[in-house]
């Protein structure tokens, strides 16, 4: 991570009020793809990491049993809570949490994990740690929309902000997911530096015998 968590939180606190209106077509495309690939049902509990103003969490709320949104920015969380209240979403809860310490409620058995445009702030090693934490929650599916490299990025035209962001290659992310016990089931390229990965948890031998 090129900046401290506190620095990132303060940066997003400052832009929280305008965040929704200042997003690219690629970001919006990722939101739509993440929601579609999450494919939640009425029995599912969803954990949305780096929830921001709640774009993913609130889009999934009508179809899920419960949605837990976690972010490091209180300003962004305040926006998400206001939107949830305005939309009458009483099955969504927003609070502070990090990729490597998501603060999942003890009574929440997570079925699906989602994240959009947040994990790229972590270094590759930190991403791997975060994916291991996510795998430890034993969701059946993890859907990641993010800044990621499908090829060699043009340093003269970066989609990301090099001073604060640290995107990984698709291969690096795929390896981390596979090593954590996921199988990569879909790859959606939105832009040469933006995409969505869908990973399904591989059942253990015990689960396969006694589901």
């Amino acid at each position: 991570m090129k900046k401290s968590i506190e620095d990132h939180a303060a940066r997003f606190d400052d832009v929280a009020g305008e965040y929704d209106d200042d997003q690219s077509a690629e970001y919006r495309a990722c939101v739509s793809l993440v929601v579609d690939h999450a494919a939640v049902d009425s029995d599912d509990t969803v954990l949305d990491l780096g929830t921001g103003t709640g774009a993913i969490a609130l889009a999934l709320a009508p179809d899920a049993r419960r949605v837990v949104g976690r972010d490091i920015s209180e300003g962004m969380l305040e926006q998400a809570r206001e939107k949830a209240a305005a939309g009458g979403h009483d099955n969504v809860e927003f609070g502070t949490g990090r990729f490597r310490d998501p603060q999942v409620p003890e009574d929440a058995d997570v079925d699906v994990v989602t994240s959009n445009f947040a994990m790229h702030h972590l270094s590759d090693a930190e991403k791997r740690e975060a994916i291991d934490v996510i795998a430890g929650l034993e969701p059946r599916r993890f859907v990641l929309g993010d800044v990621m490299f499908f090829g060699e990025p043009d340093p003269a035209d970066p989609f990301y902000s090099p001073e604060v962001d640290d995107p990984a290659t698709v291969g690096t992310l795929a390896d981390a997911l596979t090593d954590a016990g996921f199988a990569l089931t879909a790859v959606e390229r939105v832009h040469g530096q933006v995409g969505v990965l869908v990973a399904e948890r591989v059942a253990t031998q015990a689960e396969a015998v006694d589901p």
Side-chain angles (χ1 to χ4, degrees), residues 32 62 204:
S32 179
T204 65

Side-chain angles (χ1 to χ4, degrees), residues 1-19 22-23 71-76 117-122 160-166:
M1 183 177 287
K2 294 181 177 179
K3 298 286 185 179
S4 70
I5 289 175
E6 293 75 18
D7 286 343
H8 278 296
R11 184 164 64 92
F12 283 107
D13 285 347
D14 289 343
V15 301
E18 299 79 36
Y19 187 82
D22 191 29
Q23 293 306 319
D71 204 277
I72 61 172
S73 165
E74 186 56 38
M76 299 287 268
F117 271 58
M119 192 178 279
H120 65 274
H121 297 124
L122 304 179
Y160 62 104
S161 300
E163 67 277 8
V164 294
D165 300 333
D166 197 7

Side-chain angles (χ1 to χ4, degrees), residues 65 92 116 127 135 141 170 175 195:
R65 182 176 71 87
V92 185
N116 193 54
K127 290 183 185 73
R141 183 177 302 118
V170 173
D175 287 345

Side-chain angles (χ1 to χ4, degrees), residues 34 45-58 60 67-71 77 93-95 97 99 102 110 112-116 143:
V34 170
T45 293
V46 181
L47 173 64
D48 185 40
L49 293 172
T51 194
T53 62
I56 303 294
L58 297 174
L60 294 175
V67 181
V68 177
R70 292 291 182 257
D71 204 277
L77 291 168
E93 56 192 272
F94 293 107
F99 278 107
V110 176
V112 178
V113 177
T114 57
S115 184
N116 193 54
V143 187

Side-chain angles (χ1 to χ4, degrees), residues 67-147:
V67 181
V68 177
R70 292 291 182 257
D71 204 277
I72 61 172
S73 165
E74 186 56 38
M76 299 287 268
L77 291 168
E78 287 176 5
Q79 294 290 318
R81 293 186 189 108
E82 289 177 7
K83 289 161 63 177
H89 299 297
D90 58 5
N91 64 333
V92 185
E93 56 192 272
F94 293 107
T96 301
R98 306 171 182 177
F99 278 107
R100 291 168 292 166
D101 184 17
Q103 298 292 311
V104 179
E106 291 185 2
D107 63 343
D109 293 324
V110 176
D111 301 293
V112 178
V113 177
T114 57
S115 184
N116 193 54
F117 271 58
M119 192 178 279
H120 65 274
H121 297 124
L122 304 179
S123 68
D124 286 358
E126 290 167 338
K127 290 183 185 73
R128 183 172 283 273
E129 292 173 9
I131 289 169
D132 286 343
V133 169
I134 291 167
L137 299 173
E138 299 188 344
R140 71 170 183 276
R141 183 177 302 118
F142 173 36
V143 187
L144 173 66
D146 210 350
V147 183

Side-chain angles (χ1 to χ4, degrees), residues 149-172:
F149 300 142
F150 284 83
E152 191 69 29
D154 181 357
D157 186 27
F159 187 87
Y160 62 104
S161 300
E163 67 277 8
V164 294
D165 300 333
D166 197 7
T169 65
V170 173
T172 295

